[in-house]
Amino acid sequence: MTITGTHAIDRAVSLTVQALRAAAHLDWSVPAAGLEWSCHETAVHVVNDFIVYGTRISERIADGSTPIERYTAPGAAPSVVIDAIEAAGRKLTAAVSAADPDDRAWHPYGTSDADGFAAMGVVETLLHTHDILEGLGVRGFEPEAELCEHALDRLFPHVPRDAAPWTTLLWATGRADLADLPRQTVWRWYADPVPAGDRVVLCAISPDLAADLAAGGTGGFAWAEDGPFDGTRAASGMAAKAYEEGAYRPGWGPYAVVRTHDRRAIGGIGFHAAPDADGQAEVGYDLVPSARGNGYATEALRGLTAWAFGQPGLTALRASVDEGNAPSHAVLRRAGFERTGAGDGAVRYALRPARG
């Protein structure tokens, strides 16, 4: 899925270098806005991001390791660090250009293709340029709308688009307010969300987001007016607890169901835990009342099961539904689940991989 491309990296780096060179004479030892790093350390971070992203995708690194170490000395002049940003940006551009469409590499927010790393580079340099300039007392940095729109389209499928793209990107990363939405206290991007038809997309609720949801927060999502539902908060609490106990496995927790036309979260779906020793996992889901009756749950469940059976070792998915919950029974049947038993007021279902 190519949205960003190398031209976006080149343009973002050009804007960054131009803006930072105009402020290179200032004291870069002061803190960058909203960060624990100094402006100098933040600029070095951008250099490192470009080098690491370029190295990961060019060498298809599948874990968190990288052969690149920091090489920009803490005492280097701002002009030297700015030159390093420019050079490192060229490395990322070259790596993205040389990558095959099927190349994937690891990132803490999920494995990504080259275009995803291109978008990450754009977001990193634009946001941290903002942080540096704000920390230096320099106002007015605002990248063009198209560049921000590309980054939002590629990495932030869960973020509404009612405001200017730059303001939206700042809000999505906890740096600004946005209309009637609360400022983000936790956030992440999604380089590889789980597709579920044309109307919804599934965004993993990672442990930090899960903890926020369980505690009454938004989890970094813009929810429909009647969300999130209690079941989503409870499932998020289970995921946060599993992470604390060392039992959490990425991908095998809760997901937010995000409606694509307005990018509002309308419910939760996911797994109660990672597959057991027999390769079986249990699924659950809920939607906010205002979104029910539109087929969203069925699409979300089909997307989730397709992802699950694409993972190694899964032998079956299970679900349990209250006997009187007719809509939920219908969702499971439409998604291919078959009834396997009943008891204690609940009906049990299972889905197994299709035989080739």
Side-chain angles (χ1 to χ4, degrees):
M1 179 174 60
T2 300
I3 292 177
T4 311
T6 58
H7 66 283
I9 305 172
D10 294 340
R11 181 57 181 160
V13 170
S14 176
L15 290 171
T16 287
V17 169
Q18 181 180 3
L20 294 185
R21 279 183 177 151
H25 63 287
L26 300 175
D27 179 9
W28 283 39
S29 67
V30 299
L35 303 179
E36 296 180 356
W37 299 326
S38 69
C39 292
H40 185 281
E41 290 169 330
T42 304
V44 171
H45 172 76
V46 174
V47 174
N48 290 333
D49 278 340
F50 283 154
I51 293 173
V52 168
Y53 291 170
T55 300
R56 281 181 180 158
I57 194 62
S58 63
E59 299 187 14
R60 297 178 292 282
I61 293 174
D63 56 32
S65 63
T66 175
I68 301 298
E69 296 180 355
R70 293 191 175 197
Y71 63 88
T72 306
S79 60
V80 173
V81 184
I82 295 167
D83 288 343
I85 290 174
E86 189 172 32
R90 288 195 294 267
K91 179 178 178 65
L92 178 57
T93 295
V96 170
S97 297
D100 291 330
D102 294 333
D103 286 348
R104 295 291 186 275
W106 181 90
H107 185 276
Y109 288 169
T111 299
S112 179
D113 63 2
D115 191 67
F117 278 101
M120 293 178 212
V122 169
V123 170
E124 291 280 3
T125 191
L126 294 183
L127 291 178
H128 288 317
T129 297
H130 164 271
D131 299 336
I132 292 168
L133 294 175
E134 288 286 317
L136 295 172
V138 178
R139 304 290 186 266
F141 177 72
E142 182 172 349
E144 59 255 33
E146 184 179 16
L147 196 59
C148 300
E149 287 171 351
H150 286 164
L152 289 165
D153 287 345
R154 185 60 182 82
L155 296 178
F156 297 90
H158 60 299
V159 171
R161 306 298 169 77
D162 301 325
W166 177 234
T167 301
T168 300
L169 186 57
L170 292 175
W171 174 82
T173 56
R175 289 168 166 83
D177 297 318
L178 187 65
D180 59 338
L181 296 173
R183 182 173 291 215
Q184 301 281 49
T185 56
V186 294
W187 62 271
R188 59 163 286 183
W189 60 57
Y190 295 89
D192 195 18
V194 175
D198 296 329
R199 301 190 303 159
V200 293
V201 65
L202 310 183
C203 295
I205 303 174
S206 49
D208 56 337
L209 307 186
D212 182 71
L213 265 171
T218 67
F221 299 96
W223 288 89
E225 291 183 2
D226 47 349
F229 203 60
D230 291 343
T232 300
R233 293 199 187 279
S236 297
M238 292 168 58
K241 182 178 180 182
Y243 180 75
E244 293 174 357
E245 296 174 348
Y248 173 80
R249 279 179 55 189
W252 295 101
Y255 292 75
V257 181
V258 177
R259 192 165 49 198
T260 55
H261 82 83
D262 62 359
R263 303 175 192 272
R264 296 278 176 167
I266 57 172
I269 191 169
F271 308 96
H272 293 180
D276 60 21
D278 295 324
Q280 299 188 21
E282 185 169 359
V283 298
Y285 48 86
D286 63 34
L287 292 183
V288 299
S290 64
R292 295 172 187 170
N294 296 290
Y296 294 131
T298 300
E299 291 184 24
L301 185 56
R302 286 172 176 163
L304 185 72
T305 57
W307 176 89
F309 284 115
Q311 311 308 306
L314 184 70
T315 60
L317 290 174
R318 306 187 308 269
S320 179
V321 180
D322 291 342
E323 286 184 351
N325 191 345
S328 191
H329 289 280
V331 167
L332 287 167
R333 289 194 297 269
R334 287 194 294 266
F337 282 73
E338 296 180 350
R339 178 170 172 154
T340 59
D344 298 326
V347 179
R348 295 182 293 276
Y349 289 84
L351 177 66
R352 302 184 186 279
R355 296 185 182 277

